């Protein structure tokens, strides 16, 4: 039953995530940690588009199903005009890939939408008798809204003449491959630098691409847990992996808070990679801690979990990532007995959190420069002190 003292009937229900100011300047893209240029191992090659098509056909380029939500950003008109550019022989932007040491496949850094358009037109558009891949029953791209090649309007790949097919496969493109010897943290920095064309990947999509295997699967599992979905009131979207960004944050601070140096994106990437080196028992321990924390937070705060509340009559705010990581991790660090004491004193805890939200320094730590080391330490410490005071009283 909803706590009516804490959540008023006329409260506005805001169901989305608050935009985060990580570096103290909204949307700032700051790389402060230097790296050795000699660590960069990039293979740059000019190849025919036909060779990339062959790699797609043989599943040597990883177009993860998880990425399809990002690929859907391109509608059929955009995809058709890319194919039109290829037919016209226009140069395409360079493609960037990361060589995965585990799967031996190429993960896409930059060029995902272009590759998906090529896949949708060519691989899905082949005649069934020559199409032995898994896409034969999916709808192929039908060219539409072309600007120059009006005679190709409404055509699929199987309807092209042989010279047109040769023209597509003969187009020269540039492939830049970050070899597996390149350190993961260096790959991430390069990823940030080149991920600018088309519809850039989000930070979490980049982390997902660079940490395939158990890490990617584990973060996905956490994000899909009922306890997380309930605690966040279905407010954290799955599109563009926003929900996995939350799960990644929990794991990173839960296992590595003491190592945090103020570079949030690099920290989250490093700790996600660490999950790949864990044994099943270690991952299960994290999963249980996450589940218990989500259930405890919901038990105490209900639909107000991870939201700033300044007073009892305040309208419901969007979910704050800074509030989320601070609360969820501090609560996950508790023993079962301590969590029970905290839940038994839920009203006191809620009042204590409202006092913190009204405190100028704490409020600043969860709203401005939330990735700065001293602000992370301030908010984690203040919440930890409040929790200890309650469970030890």
């Amino acid at each position: 039953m909803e706590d009516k003292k804490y959540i008023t009937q006329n409260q506005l229900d805001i169901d989305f995530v608050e935009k985060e100011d990580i570096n103290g300047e909204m949307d700032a893209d700051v790389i402060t940690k230097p790296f050795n240029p000699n660590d960069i191992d990039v293979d740059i090659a000019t190849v025919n588009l036909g060779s990339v098509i062959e790699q797609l056909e043989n599943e040597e380029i990883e177009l993860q199903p998880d990425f399809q939500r990002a690929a859907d950003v391109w509608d059929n008109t955009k995809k058709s005009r890319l194919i039109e550019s290829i037919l016209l022989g226009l140069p395409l932007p360079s493609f960037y890939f990361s060589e995965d040491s585990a799967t031996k496949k190429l993960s896409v850094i930059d060029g995902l939408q272009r590759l998906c358009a090529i896949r949708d037109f060519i691989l899905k558009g082949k005649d069934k008798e020559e199409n032995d891949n898994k896409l034969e029953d999916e709808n192929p791209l039908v060219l539409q809204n072309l600007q120059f090649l009006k005679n190709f309007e409404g055509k699929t790949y199987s309807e092209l003449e042989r010279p047109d097919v040769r023209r597509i496969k003969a187009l020269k493109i540039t492939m830049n491959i970050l070899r597996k010897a390149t350190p993961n943290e260096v790959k991430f920095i390069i990823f940030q630098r080149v991920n600018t064309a088309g519809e850039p990947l989000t930070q979490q999509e980049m982390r997902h691409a660079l940490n395939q295997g158990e890490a990617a699967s584990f973060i996905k599992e956490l994000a899909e847990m009922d306890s997380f979905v309930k605690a966040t009131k279905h407010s954290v979207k799955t599109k563009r992996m926003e929900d996995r960004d939350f799960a990644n944050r929990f794991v990173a601070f839960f296992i590595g808070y003491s190592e945090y140096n103020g570079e949030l994106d690099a920290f989250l990437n490093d700790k996600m990679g660490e999950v790949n080196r864990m044994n099943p028992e270690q991952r299960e321990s994290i999963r249980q801690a996450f589940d218990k924390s989500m259930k405890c937070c919901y038990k105490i705060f209900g639909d107000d979990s991870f939201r700033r509340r300044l007073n009892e009559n305040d309208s419901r705010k969007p979910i704050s990532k800074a509030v989320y990581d601070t609360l969820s991790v501090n609560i996950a660090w508790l023993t079962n007995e301590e969590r029970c004491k905290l839940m038994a004193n839920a009203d006191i805890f809620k009042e204590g959190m409202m006092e913190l939200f009204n405190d100028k320094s704490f409020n600043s730590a969860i709203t401005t420069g939330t990735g700065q080391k001293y602000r992370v330490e301030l908010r984690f410490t203040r919440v930890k002190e409040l929790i200890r005071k309650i469970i030890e009283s």
Side-chain angles (χ1 to χ4, degrees):
M1 181 175 176
E2 195 174 51
D3 184 346
K4 297 192 184 297
K5 179 185 176 184
Y6 192 62
I7 303 175
T8 63
Q9 186 175 2
N10 297 324
Q11 179 172 344
L12 177 63
D13 188 5
I14 303 294
D15 286 331
F16 57 89
V17 177
E18 187 174 80
K19 189 171 179 61
E20 187 176 30
D21 180 4
I22 295 174
N23 298 302
E25 180 181 347
M26 208 59 94
D27 295 326
D29 182 15
V30 179
I31 299 174
T32 58
K33 184 178 181 181
F35 61 92
N36 186 353
N38 294 324
D39 288 339
I40 302 175
D41 183 6
V42 183
D43 178 37
I44 304 173
T46 300
V47 301
N48 292 334
L49 183 57
S51 67
V52 175
I53 294 170
E54 184 179 351
Q55 285 176 290
L56 284 172
E57 201 163 20
N58 289 295
E59 300 182 344
E60 293 166 351
I61 295 176
E62 192 70 81
L63 296 182
Q64 286 287 328
D66 296 319
F67 280 134
Q68 300 316 308
R69 288 189 291 273
D72 288 342
V73 173
W74 270 29
D75 58 23
N76 286 340
T77 294
K78 274 193 175 182
K79 294 176 182 178
S80 296
R81 291 184 179 178
L82 176 79
I83 302 303
E84 182 182 39
S85 296
I86 294 172
L87 287 166
L88 288 167
L90 300 179
L92 299 185
S94 297
F95 291 83
Y96 287 82
F97 301 92
S98 171
E99 189 176 48
D100 190 279
S101 57
T103 66
K104 312 303 180 187
K105 295 182 180 182
L106 300 180
S107 297
V108 185
I109 294 177
D110 197 43
L112 176 65
Q113 276 74 36
R114 282 171 277 148
L115 288 170
C116 287
I118 292 167
R119 176 206 60 188
D120 290 353
F121 183 66
I122 298 175
L123 270 62
K124 293 182 181 180
K126 284 187 174 184
D127 285 326
K128 285 195 174 182
E129 53 265 27
E130 63 169 314
N131 192 349
D132 58 357
N133 63 67
K134 299 175 183 178
L135 303 173
E136 61 181 8
D137 294 327
E138 297 189 29
N139 295 327
L141 173 65
V142 179
L143 298 180
Q144 58 184 258
N145 298 322
L146 302 178
Q147 292 178 298
F148 304 104
L149 303 178
K150 298 296 185 182
N151 54 315
F152 287 90
E153 193 79 24
K155 287 191 175 184
T156 62
Y157 179 77
S158 63
E159 296 173 300
L160 297 184
E161 301 293 335
R162 181 62 189 161
D164 300 321
V165 172
R166 286 202 303 269
R167 191 180 308 126
I168 290 174
K169 293 185 176 181
L171 183 75
K172 298 292 185 183
I173 65 166
T174 301
M175 291 182 69
N176 301 276
I177 302 174
L178 300 182
R179 292 300 186 189
K180 57 188 176 183
T182 304
N184 201 37
E185 62 272 17
V186 176
K187 283 187 178 182
F188 188 72
I189 292 173
I190 297 170
F191 218 142
Q192 290 177 311
R193 289 288 181 92
V194 304
N195 181 41
T196 56
E199 296 292 342
L201 299 179
T202 65
Q203 298 291 327
Q204 186 60 39
E205 286 170 333
M206 286 192 279
R207 291 191 284 270
H208 178 90
L210 291 174
N211 295 286
Q212 289 296 299
E214 292 291 346
S217 299
F218 182 66
I219 295 298
K220 179 175 184 288
E221 177 191 350
L222 295 187
E224 292 176 346
M225 290 182 68
D226 290 341
S227 55
F228 170 75
V229 175
K230 186 175 182 180
T232 54
K233 201 175 182 290
H234 301 267
S235 301
V236 183
K237 307 306 179 187
T238 59
K239 191 168 186 178
R240 307 311 301 268
M241 299 192 180
E242 187 175 34
D243 55 344
R244 299 190 203 184
D245 183 60
F246 274 74
N248 196 162
R249 279 173 96 100
F250 173 87
V251 171
F253 282 114
F254 181 72
I255 67 174
Y257 168 75
S258 62
E259 302 167 38
Y260 185 65
N261 63 1
E263 296 180 27
L264 183 61
D265 288 330
F267 175 70
L268 297 182
N269 181 60
D270 179 61
K271 293 306 169 187
M272 185 171 174
E274 200 169 299
V275 173
N276 269 333
R277 300 187 290 275
M278 292 179 177
N279 59 44
E281 290 74 22
Q282 290 172 310
R283 288 192 292 271
E284 175 60 18
S285 176
I286 296 172
R287 191 195 69 78
Q288 289 186 21
F290 179 74
D291 188 45
K292 290 175 181 178
S293 177
M294 292 301 107
K295 289 176 178 176
C296 180
C297 286
Y298 187 75
K299 180 74 173 177
I300 294 171
F301 297 100
D303 291 343
D304 252 8
S305 298
F306 317 125
R307 303 168 194 257
R308 287 184 296 140
R309 173 171 287 281
L310 302 178
N311 57 69
E312 293 177 358
N313 297 317
D314 193 17
S315 61
R316 180 176 290 132
K317 301 293 192 299
I319 285 179
S320 162
K321 288 184 178 181
V323 174
Y324 162 83
D325 60 36
T326 309
L327 271 177
S328 65
V329 173
N330 265 297
I331 290 175
W333 284 334
L334 300 176
T335 66
N336 290 336
E337 182 182 0
E338 288 171 335
R339 273 189 292 271
C340 287
K341 287 183 179 179
L342 195 63
M343 288 186 285
N345 291 278
D347 288 340
I348 297 174
F349 189 28
K350 287 185 287 190
E351 289 172 6
M353 287 303 300
M354 281 191 284
E355 289 179 9
L356 284 179
F357 291 143
N358 281 281
D359 178 87
K360 185 177 179 180
S361 61
F362 185 84
N363 187 62
S364 179
I366 61 173
T367 57
T368 306
T370 56
Q372 294 173 2
K373 184 178 180 181
Y374 81 96
R375 294 185 188 273
V376 170
E377 291 177 343
L378 186 151
R379 66 175 186 259
F380 266 77
T381 300
R382 295 289 298 278
V383 169
K384 182 178 181 180
E385 289 172 348
L386 172 62
I387 290 174
R388 299 313 308 180
K389 181 180 178 180
I390 293 171
I391 63 179
E392 291 174 4
S393 62

